[in-house]
Amino acid sequence: MSEAIDAAHHRRGLLITGLGGLALSFDIPLIRSADGEVWSLLALRSLCTFVVALIAWVVLNKFLGRKIALVPGKAGLLAGLFYGLGSFTFLLSVFNTATANVVFIVAFTSMFAAILSWVFLKERPSNATLVTMAVMVFGVGLIVQDGLKSGNFFGDAMAVCSALMLASAITVSRASGKDMGLVPLATAIFPAIIGYLLSPAEGLAIANPGWIMFDGLIMIPLAFFCLATGPRYLSAPEVGMFYLLETILAPLWIWIVFLEVPTSQTLAGGAVLILALVGHSVWQMRQKSVVAVPPPLH
C-alpha cells in the first residue's frame, strides 16, 4: 500500500515539475514575441509578477491561514536583490545574444550554487560534482568563445551574471533556512522600478504587450510555483533535470517561431553542458537509491 502511495506521489511530482519546466521554456519566446524595448519589457514583466506575488500572499495569509512573509527579513531582502539583479541581467542577455547561448549558459546556475555553498556554507561538493563543474566550464567556454567571434560577448557575459545572481539567491536562501517561496515574485518590484526609470520618456515601448503580460502574470509564476513544489515529491537531482527543459526547448521554440538557428559551436557547448548535467543527476539518483536500500538481514 505504501509503495502505491509513494509511486502516486512520484508521478504527481513528475507531472508538477514537468509542467514547471515546460512553462519556463516559454519565457524567452514570449519576451521576443512582445517585440519591445528592453527596459519597457523588464518593467511590465516584473510588475505583473509582483502583482501575482501580492495576490498569492493575500490568499495564503487571509484565506488559507498560512502565515508567510513576502520578504522574510534581511536575508529575504538580500536574496531578493540577487533575484532582481538576475532579472535585469537576464533581459540584457536575451537582447544581446542568441537564445541558445542564454539558456545554455544559465544552465550553469547549479554549479555556481555548488561553488558558493562550498565557499560560504562550507559544503564541499562531491568529487563527481567537481568533475561535472570542470566539464561544464569547458562547455560554457565554447559558447563564450563563439560569442567573442560573433560579437555577442556582452550578451554572453550578462547570461553568466544572471546564472551567478540566481545561484547567489539560492545560497542565501539555503543559509537562512527561511521560507523564501514568494521572494522571487515579490522582489520583482525592484527590476520593475529600474525598468520604468530607464524606459523611454514617452512611455513603455512594447508592440505586443499581451505576450509579456501573459508571461509575467501566468507563465513565470506557474513555473516558479511548480518547480518550488517539486522537491516535496522528488529528489533534488530529479527536480534539477526538469530545469533542463528550458535549456532544451527554448532554442527549439525560437527556431520554430523566429527561424533563429544556433551556431554549431554553441550547439556543441550546449551538448557538453546538458550531457554533464544529466550525467551528474543520474549519478546522484543512483547514489540515493543505493543509500535507500536497507542492508540484508542475517
Side-chain angles (χ1 to χ4, degrees):
M1 185 69 177
S2 62
E3 290 182 4
I5 294 174
D6 288 343
H9 273 73
H10 193 261
R11 285 196 298 271
R12 184 184 302 173
L14 292 174
L15 179 63
I16 292 171
T17 315
L19 179 61
L22 182 63
L24 194 61
S25 75
F26 287 102
D27 184 26
I28 296 177
L30 288 171
I31 291 171
R32 294 277 298 272
S33 298
D35 188 19
E37 183 264 339
V38 59
W39 305 119
S40 302
L41 290 171
L42 178 66
L44 186 55
R45 175 177 177 267
S46 301
L47 182 62
C48 288
T49 303
F50 175 69
V51 168
V52 173
L54 289 181
I55 294 171
W57 180 72
V58 170
V59 170
L60 288 170
N61 282 271
K62 303 297 182 183
F63 298 103
L64 300 182
R66 285 186 56 191
K67 299 302 179 184
I68 180 172
L70 270 176
V71 181
K74 293 180 180 178
L77 277 176
L78 182 58
L81 176 64
F82 286 131
Y83 279 123
L85 289 172
S87 295
F88 184 80
T89 53
F90 179 76
L91 262 291
L92 285 176
S93 69
V94 170
F95 277 79
N96 288 280
T97 192
T99 297
N101 293 40
V102 176
V103 294
F104 287 150
I105 293 173
V106 171
F108 198 73
T109 297
S110 59
M111 293 301 141
F112 269 139
I115 293 170
L116 292 174
S117 294
W118 189 5
V119 173
F120 294 103
L121 306 183
K122 309 304 179 187
E123 297 175 353
R124 185 189 183 280
S126 66
N127 291 334
T129 300
L130 292 174
V131 171
T132 305
M133 284 183 200
V135 174
M136 292 184 72
V137 167
F138 172 71
V140 170
L142 285 176
I143 297 169
V144 172
Q145 183 192 32
D146 189 52
L148 278 170
K149 290 190 293 186
S150 60
N152 294 333
F153 177 73
F154 176 74
D156 289 354
M158 288 298 98
V160 172
C161 288
S162 183
L164 180 59
M165 291 301 103
L166 183 55
S168 299
I170 292 170
T171 305
V172 170
S173 299
R174 280 176 52 79
S176 72
K178 296 181 179 178
D179 188 342
M180 299 276 189
L182 293 179
V183 169
L185 306 181
T187 54
I189 191 62
F190 298 140
I193 292 171
I194 294 172
Y196 272 110
L197 292 175
L198 296 176
S199 60
E202 59 271 17
L204 299 183
I206 304 174
N208 305 302
W211 290 118
I212 200 68
M213 291 178 69
F214 178 67
D215 190 31
L217 289 171
I218 306 296
M219 301 306 281
I220 292 298
L222 176 64
F224 274 122
F225 172 78
C226 290
L227 290 168
T229 304
R232 292 175 55 189
Y233 305 99
L234 304 176
S235 67
E238 287 178 298
V239 173
M241 290 184 71
F242 281 99
Y243 276 92
L244 289 177
L245 282 178
E246 182 190 28
T247 307
I248 297 167
L249 293 178
L252 179 62
W253 306 145
I254 291 294
W255 175 60
I256 293 171
V257 177
F258 299 101
L259 303 179
E260 180 184 291
V261 182
T263 66
S264 57
Q265 187 165 332
T266 293
L267 287 175
V272 169
L273 286 166
I274 291 171
L275 289 173
L277 282 170
V278 170
H280 185 257
S281 296
V282 170
W283 178 85
Q284 282 189 299
M285 283 186 280
R286 285 178 61 87
Q287 290 294 107
K288 286 181 180 292
S289 66
V290 169
V291 171
V293 174
L297 296 175
H298 292 288

